[in-house]
Amino acid sequence: MKSYFTFLSRNKLYTAIQFFGLAIALGTVVLLTSYARTEFNIGNRQPLSRQLYALGYGDGLGMTVGTALEFFPSIPEIKEWTRLTSTNETDVTIDNNYYQAQCMAVDSNFFQLLDYPLIGCDRNKVLTGTDEVIISEAFARKVFGNENPIGRTVKYLNQTPLQVIGILPSFSPTELLKPIDLLLPFKLQEKDYAYMDTFGSTQIFVTLAEGTTPDIVSRKLLDKYTSYWDFWSKDESGNGFLWGSTLTRMDEIYFSPLNRYGPFRQGTQKQVQILFGIALILLLSAIINYINLTVSQTGKRAHEMATRRLLGDTAGEIVLRYLAESALFTTGCFIGGCLIAVIAKPYFEYLLSTQISLIYSFSTVAYMLLLLVGIAGVSGLIPALIMHRYHPIDIVKGNFRLQNKQIFSRLFIIVQNVISTVLITLGLTMAVQMHHLATLPTGYNTDLVFVKAWTLGMTHDKQVILQERLQALPQVAEVALARGLPFICGHNGVQQPDEESRSWLHLSDMDSAAFRMLGFEVLERWSDPLPGKTWATEETCRRYNLSTDNPHFGKDGDKGGYTYNICGVIRDYRSLTALSTPMPDSHGVVKVLNPQTNSYNQLVRTVGDRTEALAAIRRTCREVSNELLGMPKELEADYIDDYLDKDLTREKNTVMLVLCFMTISILISALGLLAMSISYTEQQSKRIALCKVMGAETNGAVWELSKHFMALSLLAACFALPLSIKAVQTGLEPFYNRIAFPWHLIAVAVLTTVGIAIVSIIGQTLKVARRNPIESIRTE
């Protein structure tokens, strides 16, 4: 091995490029393999993960509080069931200290169907009454420190005393449930929900009798739903809001496309597959780079190997030497990659908004060893076989270098350029798509603060207290009241008298001050905008054929009137957030709110520094909350443009990862091409020197050395084109608001790749071409 280390020390650039490319790629693969393994295991670690099914409907997951009690007794195929529901930022008081906690309420048989460890209590006899609570280990440490929390009192909603009976250890990264602070009795919370309403609020797990299929139970439940609720549809053909019946197995919930507003985590399978695929492509690029550079350096070690053969080494011993050297170098790269993975893990977890478990199980270790053996074997065997083809006398005569046709160099250049082109195309496309979403016009003023104030009470007398206190702040110019706002509105169903299917409205309802502050552009005014009247957009007018002669739409139940009476037309604006997918046949309207009626959102126009104004608004909200509720509760308050931007955080972080991979690929490609050009030009230096002696110009010599690389880069662009198109289509598919197909970005990616090749090659070829021909001939 001494000669091998001597060779590496004399070829530092070659060694650094090989180690950097392979170590980075292996580290990325280790990290994203662990990420993919974690993601695909979420929800399947429970013993009954393949026997538990969650109830759902249409495109949603969950049902109502009373669904199980009302329907299950008459369905013998349902063997057991348990319910759970969650609330975010619930108010609790402990030892006169106020906290906001993540709570989940469960039935008393919850721990009999789901195997979560408990400390300090019997899992079969918990949460049977309404005065008990189980506290999470992390929350207990935050509140009580090193003290024993069992037996202590927690005041739920500042009024209901609950005794801590047990401790729930922290969930693992593969757990389906979101992290929680408090586990409450279901009986304590069920009174807060309508018995057979608020669909999706309650998650219900069921186990089925032996021999029963989910389809059988789903059909029976659907019959129950349609007979109980007259608005329930068997399918989505009528564009209804509530339809169908589903049973989703527990280990399939995480990647399920069904909407969920409860305790379950949600992932995107396509994102995991794309990131893992990019990591594998990056590894392939690094491996090809490593193998090709190893092959390209065989000429420098040819005399050493020829000498060993002349001294008695067999061809088999030469092959084993190459394999041993490759195994040693690959192992070093893998160790470096593992260190890179450990260092980069927090950053990846931040970007992916998840926990990554670096699990070193037997299977994981086996796969990694197999990968290392494969890389070491191929990268060591190929140069060994090349050397094996030649007799020592051929190498001494120089025939080896003359007959080396750079086959692997050509393959390397093509594959590396294809990979770089695809990744550059995908990275640029995702960056442009994110910019498109971030700058998508809204049609209303977003330089306003909105405050979610529903916890203070929705009545006018409660809301006006906060409104007046905010209005008194020197940083506030104006405050208005609202219920629905364009970016946080729902879907209201519309049934036209002459239509069978239902259409939908994105209904914003606010007082006249809020309407003016948001800056909606009034195009036509048909009547006075009195409370109860509605402004319709241009698109909505076209959809429902609205005019001054027909200023209303939407059947008002059995009363014979119309639900929406139009007072005028406003310019089209965008409802929901940039990432939201609206329901089919949905349209925007703004309803004029009576300021004396219930409201739960407030709009604030500020003056001066935004940061200072927002801090003052949040401080005032805490003060009013403490006065009205007895707790300094944090109300959600943010500028609209900041809120819309935060909604893109996850997607922006994913794009950042793709750009990181793109950068790594470019570096590996550029450095590999640089090393290849050094090796190739050194091999061709004698020929170039002879050409110059015969009168060739420097420019001609540069072109002679570079034209093969350029031709291969253009050939790679042809191979990369269909792959880039497919990558762009896959990347843009999840977005409802997506850019037009970016053909120009594919062209930019190709030019960038070719430009990288030119920059990587021209410098070295120019150096060799300018060299004194006598020096090149003398070294030969």
Side-chain angles (χ1 to χ4, degrees), residues 53-314:
Y53 293 86
L55 266 65
Y57 61 92
D59 59 356
L61 202 63
M63 283 300 293
T64 68
V65 167
T67 298
L69 298 172
E70 192 72 25
F71 302 138
F72 290 2
S74 58
I75 303 178
E77 289 84 358
I78 295 179
K79 185 179 177 182
E80 295 179 281
W81 55 271
T82 192
R83 299 170 296 176
L84 53 153
T85 186
S86 66
T87 56
N88 297 325
E89 299 179 348
T90 303
D91 306 312
V92 298
T93 306
I94 304 173
D95 295 336
N96 295 321
N97 294 317
Y98 168 75
Y99 301 93
Q100 286 189 330
Q102 306 293 322
C103 296
M104 184 170 71
V106 299
D107 278 322
S108 58
N109 67 338
F110 176 79
F111 288 99
Q112 297 171 27
L113 294 179
L114 292 112
D115 186 25
Y116 294 106
L118 279 178
I119 301 173
C121 59
D122 183 356
R123 62 187 303 107
N124 297 315
K125 299 177 182 179
V126 294
L127 306 178
T128 55
T130 58
D131 59 350
E132 299 174 340
V133 66
I134 294 173
I135 190 170
S136 75
E137 195 172 26
F139 192 67
R141 193 180 304 114
K142 171 185 174 182
V143 175
F144 299 108
N146 295 324
E147 299 179 16
N148 185 7
I150 295 179
R152 303 291 289 270
T153 299
V154 174
K155 278 194 175 182
Y156 175 65
L157 298 179
N158 204 30
Q159 56 187 3
T160 305
L162 305 174
Q163 185 181 26
V164 178
I165 62 169
I167 300 173
L168 180 69
S170 300
F171 292 151
S172 71
T174 58
E175 181 49 55
L176 175 64
L177 297 177
K178 297 175 183 176
I180 59 171
D181 298 318
L182 301 177
L183 205 57
L184 308 170
F186 194 87
K187 294 178 181 178
L188 181 67
Q189 248 189 346
E190 65 180 341
K191 65 179 183 295
D192 296 330
Y193 295 92
Y195 182 68
M196 296 298 282
D197 203 345
T198 320
F199 297 94
S201 64
T202 303
Q203 303 298 331
I204 308 172
F205 277 122
V206 301
T207 61
L208 308 181
E210 189 174 352
T212 302
T213 64
D215 289 339
I216 293 174
V217 177
S218 180
R219 284 195 298 269
K220 288 194 173 187
L221 285 170
L222 182 56
D223 291 339
K224 300 287 184 183
Y225 299 161
T226 54
S227 61
Y228 188 91
W229 292 291
D230 56 4
F231 52 80
W232 202 283
S233 304
K234 287 187 175 292
D235 53 44
E236 58 179 330
S237 57
N239 201 18
F241 183 63
L242 294 169
W243 53 272
S245 172
T246 62
L247 266 70
T248 306
R249 208 169 66 188
M250 184 178 183
D251 61 344
E252 297 174 349
I253 290 176
Y254 183 66
F255 286 132
S256 169
L258 298 178
N259 299 316
R260 76 284 310 262
Y261 307 100
F264 301 141
R265 296 167 60 192
Q266 186 169 8
T268 307
Q269 186 172 3
K270 181 166 287 187
Q271 173 181 294
V272 179
Q273 293 170 338
I274 288 175
L275 291 178
F276 185 62
I278 290 175
L280 291 180
I281 291 172
L282 196 63
L283 178 62
L284 175 64
S285 173
I287 291 173
I288 293 175
N289 184 28
Y290 173 42
I291 294 173
N292 195 64
L293 289 179
T294 302
V295 171
S296 70
Q297 296 296 318
T298 53
K300 291 188 175 182
R301 302 194 68 196
H303 286 282
E304 176 196 341
M305 296 305 171
T307 303
R308 292 184 181 277
R309 291 286 301 277
L310 293 173
L311 292 176
D313 281 3
T314 64

Side-chain angles (χ1 to χ4, degrees), residues 102 146 274 282 293 319 498 573 617 641 644 688 699:
Q102 306 293 322
N146 295 324
I274 288 175
L282 196 63
L293 289 179
V319 171
D498 56 345
Y573 65 90
I617 290 170
D641 49 11
L644 295 175
I688 297 301
N699 292 340

